[in-house]
Amino acid sequence: MVAGRKSPPPQELSPELLLRAYASGIFPMSESADDPEIFWVRPEQRGIIPLDQFHISRSLQKTVKRAPFEIRYNTAFEQVLQGCAIRLDPEAGSWINQTIRQGYIGLHKAGHCHSVEAWQGEQLVGGLYGVSLGGAFFGESMFSHATDASKVCLVHLVERLRANGFKLLDTQFTTEHLQRFGAIEIPAKDYEEMLLPAILTPAQF
């Protein structure tokens, strides 16, 4: 990973600042939820899920077809953000501090940050959120309080991105979990060559 020097947080992570950062291939993180400072990250190996190579297991296909959740978009963004910030394992910590939280709430209000939500009745049981810029979607985080809830949200996210003309799904990093869906790592240089055409593609989430 290539990360910028840690620095005192600005007055705010404005939508304009965040969009400039994403267009440049960087994104903010913090050491912990209680750390007021942020740092900017540009991974040397970038995680993406090629939209034409996304795949799911047969068991997950059956779950999606069974439709155990009602999928909603952008109806409870701050609840999804909170769900992502609170880890089931307290020792794992969270990188979503107050500066980052307020920054993405502002970006959501500006129409560039979105949530995909899994509901059972009136209970939010899973979700994910990320940033859209042109035809690029930058996945940020996900959470699940019911079996397969976040996975089903990811399936619906990809379907929505495909239907709406998106060209890039950025996962920032890769994990064994994401690799099961087709996530790969590419060098930062290759990622940046993909980024500009994607963000110049007109697309609406």
Side-chain angles (χ1 to χ4, degrees):
M1 174 195 308
V2 176
R5 182 176 298 177
K6 211 175 169 185
S7 59
Q11 289 297 316
E12 64 174 352
L13 286 174
S14 68
E16 295 78 15
L17 176 60
L18 284 167
L19 291 177
R20 287 200 304 271
Y22 280 96
S24 301
I26 62 177
F27 53 88
M29 293 186 72
S30 67
E31 292 288 355
S32 71
D34 297 326
D35 189 337
E37 297 183 343
I38 62 167
F39 57 92
W40 297 96
V41 181
R42 176 182 277 112
E44 294 177 353
Q45 294 290 318
R46 193 79 172 215
I48 67 168
I49 297 179
L51 290 170
D52 60 352
Q53 297 178 29
F54 181 77
H55 55 264
I56 62 176
S57 66
R58 290 183 179 179
S59 61
L60 185 56
Q61 288 177 16
K62 292 179 181 178
T63 299
V64 172
K65 187 174 181 180
R66 185 164 48 85
F69 313 110
E70 178 188 353
I71 302 300
R72 304 178 191 172
Y73 301 92
N74 293 325
T75 70
F77 177 82
E78 292 188 34
Q79 286 179 254
V80 171
L81 189 62
Q82 178 71 4
C84 292
I86 299 175
R87 300 295 182 92
L88 294 179
D89 177 5
E91 295 183 0
S94 172
W95 54 268
I96 302 175
N97 66 9
Q98 189 62 22
T99 301
I100 288 175
R101 184 190 303 269
Q102 292 304 315
Y104 287 103
I105 290 173
L107 199 58
H108 170 67
K109 291 177 179 178
H112 285 281
C113 203
H114 310 281
S115 57
V116 183
E117 308 147 11
W119 293 82
Q120 289 184 326
E122 291 306 308
Q123 184 177 5
L124 179 67
V125 295
L128 60 83
Y129 78 97
V131 175
S132 68
L133 182 57
F137 190 90
F138 309 86
E140 281 294 323
S141 189
M142 61 177 63
F143 80 99
S144 184
H145 295 321
T147 301
D148 290 337
S150 62
K151 295 178 183 178
V152 172
C153 286
L154 179 59
V155 172
H156 282 269
L157 170 67
V158 170
E159 289 177 351
R160 191 176 181 96
L161 297 181
R162 286 171 168 170
N164 292 350
F166 279 75
K167 303 299 182 185
L168 175 65
L169 174 52
D170 173 8
T171 64
Q172 300 177 345
F173 307 104
T174 57
T175 63
E176 184 177 341
H177 173 69
L178 290 174
Q179 287 171 349
R180 296 192 184 102
F181 295 94
I184 59 173
E185 284 187 341
I186 59 174
K189 181 180 178 182
D190 293 347
Y191 171 79
E192 289 165 4
E193 289 176 355
M194 297 174 62
L195 179 60
L196 182 58
I199 64 178
L200 292 177
T201 298
Q204 291 291 327
F205 185 82

